[in-house]
Amino acid sequence: MKKKIVKSVIIPLLFAITLGFYGAHIAYQFYQVKKEVDKRSFNTYAIQYGVYTDEKTLKDKLKKLDDYVVSVEDGKYYVYLGFTTDYDNLGKMRRIYKNNDMQVYTKYMYIDNQEFVNNLEQFDVLMANTDKEEDIISVNEAILSSYEEIILGN
């Protein structure tokens, strides 16, 4: 009788517990990978002017620019001319720099500061509703100020 109980109840119960444990472990690992992938994805486009390792070279290059922010990351100086979450706005901004004979790069960034991203999305609405270069530049100045204040803490 005891052998029947062990075979019919205990063994399937142990099998179910083991299967549940491994299933939960796999689901948890999947969640961790998904969370990491989400973090690696970008939510903004940055218009980057350049990256410099030497402060003297940086200062020489900045003399040519009016509106920019400099972010120090890994001992390097990154010069950004604008940020957007909207691909069409990115095109507008890149056209302005191209018309001024400036070579810029698009950098895909993940910014985890929700306050800045919310501000950026509001500025993007303003920028999307204009095609005037001076209006786009004005909105971009506000974006750079917001980045400097919120992200860089200046």
Side-chain angles (χ1 to χ4, degrees):
M1 181 80 169
K2 237 181 184 181
K3 284 185 179 183
K4 261 187 173 181
I5 293 175
V6 169
K7 281 185 180 180
S8 65
V9 176
I10 305 274
I11 291 176
L13 185 62
L14 289 174
F15 180 72
I17 290 171
T18 305
L19 190 61
F21 173 77
Y22 284 114
H25 181 71
I26 290 169
Y28 179 75
Q29 292 298 338
F30 178 75
Y31 171 74
Q32 292 296 84
V33 167
K34 183 180 179 319
K35 194 165 87 173
E36 192 62 33
V37 167
D38 287 345
K39 216 173 199 178
R40 289 186 193 152
S41 65
F42 68 94
N43 61 354
T44 60
Y45 300 99
I47 297 177
Q48 183 178 314
Y49 184 69
V51 180
Y52 305 95
T53 54
D54 181 47
E55 199 169 344
K56 185 178 184 278
T57 306
L58 171 69
K59 288 180 181 179
D60 289 342
K61 295 289 183 177
L62 293 181
K63 290 177 186 175
K64 302 174 188 175
L65 302 175
D66 292 327
D67 298 311
Y68 59 86
V69 293
V70 177
S71 177
V72 180
E73 303 165 21
D74 299 325
K76 296 177 184 174
Y77 301 95
Y78 290 80
V79 179
Y80 298 114
L81 303 178
F83 299 91
T84 183
T85 60
D86 185 272
Y87 188 77
D88 292 333
N89 289 344
L90 175 67
K92 290 179 183 181
M93 294 164 66
R94 288 184 57 88
R95 249 186 318 280
I96 290 171
Y97 293 117
K98 184 178 180 182
N99 291 342
N100 291 318
D101 295 322
M102 295 174 67
Q103 185 176 2
V104 295
Y105 308 94
T106 301
K107 182 176 181 180
Y108 307 103
M109 296 177 69
Y110 178 78
I111 298 177
D112 63 355
N113 186 303
Q114 197 59 46
E115 179 184 1
F116 176 73
V117 172
N118 289 341
N119 286 348
L120 186 56
E121 288 172 345
Q122 291 173 4
F123 287 128
D124 278 339
V125 171
L126 293 174
M127 194 179 294
N129 290 320
T130 187
D131 287 322
K132 293 182 184 177
E133 185 173 315
E134 58 271 2
D135 292 341
I136 293 170
I137 291 171
S138 178
V139 171
N140 191 48
E141 287 174 3
I143 291 169
L144 292 172
S145 290
S146 178
Y147 183 85
E148 196 167 38
E149 180 183 322
I150 297 170
I151 303 296
L152 300 179
N154 296 337

